[in-house]
Amino acid sequence: MVTGDRPFTRRQFVSLSLALAADLAARRALAGQQPGGEQFLGTIPLSAPRAAPLNRLLATGLDARLFTDLSGLRADSLLTPNDRFYVRTACPDAARTANGWKIRIGGLVSRPVDVAAEDLARQAEDLGICLLECSGNSDPDNFGLISAAAWQGVRLGRVLAGIDALPAATHVRISGLDHDRSPMGTSVPGASWVFARDQLRDAFLATGMNGRALSPDHGAPVRLVVPGWYGCVAIKWVNAIEFAGDDAPPTSQMVEFAERTHQRGMPALARDYLPATIDHAAVPVRIEHWSSAGRPVYRIVGIQWGGETPSDALEIKLGGGVPFVGVTNCPLPASTRTWSLWMHEWRPAAPGRYALSMRFSDPAFQTRRLDMDFYRRVVTIPAA
Ligand SMILES: Nc1nc2c(c(=O)[nH]1)N[C@H]1C(S)=C(S)[C@@H](COP(=O)(O)O)O[C@H]1N2
Ligand SMILES: [Mo]
């Protein structure tokens, strides 16, 4: 898909100017102007209209969900407003009513220490933009369990700097308050995850998002964020950090999410869990219908995220029995920690139902979800 001697710089430049031109054209079209004979005719829905409404909290407690509507993402609105940031599990009453919140730092340390959430909030700094995605973000009618925010908080390294961990403390278990999941009261209460210490290099304890204090449903007063990892490790209502040995068992949260974090089987020890990292992924979020010089053209707008190395080598397959083709406008992302937009110009040969699949042409990339067509979307192009 890359052509010419200077593929990257040239392609990026062309992509960015096209993307900006498309944005401008869209705004003019909405304002009734039609530059260069281009006219915006509307958007085509992706898949079936889902029964569950988007952008508002549904159900309560453990079953609470807010599915974020991704269809409106634009270059100038890539942060999810706090009240539309996806929710997976609402705030338990015990966290809502708590005062003087403390995090107990203990386990394999010479002396346990309590850290007050208030002190963390006072020390909080801007830690950049990072998305969270639920590892169960699998609803093909929306994929709305993913959102991006600019976070405020304290790096875990700073929080743990003064702690005297014992030599055997190779791992760290981070726990939060939780709903009681077992009616029998048999399982360990709380949600927690065990990390090797070097896996927490980029992790932070967040006290704010998008410049506002965390809301109760997003983990107030303090939650964990591990950039590049699935949301199931992003423990909310954090109340304990324990140093542990490499014989630490997996937590019930790790076992519950083993399949969704692509574990091979059920490892007996936490250290044998694969890191719950997000591979390179991409999905269309809306389809714009345009008329260009009297001919219909569809602009598939989508996001890509995940992985470590930014890539513009994104490809799309438009229906069955046809090969993947290079996405026409895929700027090189500045970061893989949050989503970025791409756009593909499409002139379908005939009306009908098309399944849209994505892949990266870089064979070195691990793309477990794309490989199983996890983020496939379906669109029906109406007869003209
Ligand atoms: N204490 C606690 N933390 C938790 C959970 C939970 O059930 N309890 N759910 C996790 C899951 S599965 C996800 S995807 C994220 C969702 O964070 P959000 O609701 O702020 O988007 O929180 C994580 N942290
Ligand atoms: Mo999740």
Side-chain angles (χ1 to χ4, degrees):
M1 66 180 293
V2 173
T3 54
D5 335 329
R6 304 278 313 279
F8 289 100
T9 39
R10 163 127 190 95
R11 183 146 185 269
Q12 279 169 54
F13 173 75
V14 172
S15 305
L16 280 171
S17 10
L18 283 177
L20 292 174
D23 250 4
L24 186 66
R27 264 176 234 153
R28 283 200 183 126
L30 288 171
Q33 301 162 21
Q34 297 165 26
E38 291 234 309
Q39 198 186 352
F40 177 64
L41 301 176
T43 53
I44 312 269
L46 279 158
S47 311
R50 56 167 301 122
L54 306 176
N55 288 351
R56 67 184 175 81
L57 192 63
L58 312 168
T60 54
L62 269 180
D63 298 324
R65 297 284 188 278
L66 184 150
F67 298 94
T68 302
D69 182 359
L70 306 175
S71 69
L73 284 177
R74 294 185 188 281
D76 59 1
S77 66
L78 287 176
L79 294 181
T80 313
N82 290 5
D83 61 348
R84 297 186 199 165
F85 197 101
Y86 87 88
V87 173
R88 203 271 185 198
T89 307
C91 183
D93 289 338
R96 204 178 290 275
T97 55
N99 279 317
W101 191 276
K102 283 188 168 52
I103 301 172
R104 161 59 54 115
I105 305 179
L108 296 181
V109 298
S110 53
R111 191 175 51 89
V113 170
D114 284 344
V115 172
E118 260 179 19
D119 290 337
L120 291 176
R122 252 196 303 277
Q123 294 167 39
E125 54 180 341
D126 285 323
L127 293 167
I129 299 171
C130 170
L131 67 72
L132 291 186
E133 181 187 14
C134 181
S135 57
N137 184 23
S138 56
D139 180 346
D141 285 336
N142 181 50
F143 295 110
L145 293 178
I146 181 170
S147 299
W151 297 92
Q152 290 78 43
V154 183
R155 286 186 204 288
L156 208 61
R158 255 177 87 191
V159 179
L160 301 180
I163 306 294
D164 189 17
L166 303 182
T170 52
H171 287 68
V172 177
R173 177 167 43 242
I174 301 185
S175 307
L177 211 88
D178 211 22
H179 300 265
D180 186 2
R181 284 161 200 264
S182 79
M184 320 297 290
T186 47
S187 74
V188 189
S192 50
W193 206 275
V194 177
F195 303 89
R197 286 171 70 173
D198 67 346
Q199 293 174 333
L200 291 168
R201 238 173 297 124
D202 298 336
F204 53 86
L205 294 176
T207 56
M209 56 200 278
N210 295 327
R212 311 260 307 270
L214 283 185
S215 70
D217 288 342
H218 292 300
V222 53
R223 80 170 306 161
L224 177 67
V225 175
V226 185
W229 290 47
Y230 281 113
C232 47
V233 314
I235 302 301
K236 303 196 270 193
W237 316 294
V238 170
N239 58 9
I241 300 176
E242 298 155 276
F243 285 86
D246 68 356
D247 57 347
T251 65
S252 55
Q253 176 95 347
M254 294 170 78
V255 172
E256 181 183 342
F257 285 92
E259 202 183 327
R260 282 168 271 180
T261 59
H262 309 287
Q263 303 305 321
R264 302 193 200 98
M266 279 297 174
L269 293 176
R271 68 166 191 233
D272 294 325
Y273 270 64
L274 299 171
T277 45
I278 305 175
D279 289 350
H280 286 276
V283 69
V285 298
R286 74 170 168 276
I287 301 198
E288 300 176 356
H289 184 193
W290 291 75
S291 168
S292 178
R295 291 177 57 214
V297 57
Y298 295 86
R299 292 189 171 136
I300 305 171
V301 178
I303 51 175
Q304 65 149 310
W305 71 98
E308 286 299 323
T309 314
S311 172
D312 61 359
L314 187 60
E315 300 183 332
I316 189 167
K317 188 157 87 80
L318 304 149
V322 297
F324 278 90
V325 295
V327 164
T328 55
N329 274 272
C330 183
L332 192 70
S335 159
T336 60
R337 294 296 183 235
T338 189
W339 53 36
S340 52
L341 291 173
W342 50 265
M343 190 267 278
H344 184 72
E345 291 236 349
W346 181 32
R347 297 177 195 272
R353 193 170 172 278
Y354 291 84
L356 312 180
S357 303
M358 313 295 303
R359 77 174 184 196
F360 287 85
S361 64
D362 189 330
F365 283 2
Q366 177 173 260
T367 53
R368 290 165 296 188
R369 291 202 170 190
L370 287 180
D371 294 349
M372 52 176 130
D373 223 357
F374 191 94
Y375 294 107
R376 187 173 92 128
R377 302 223 62 177
V378 172
V379 64
T380 300
I381 297 297

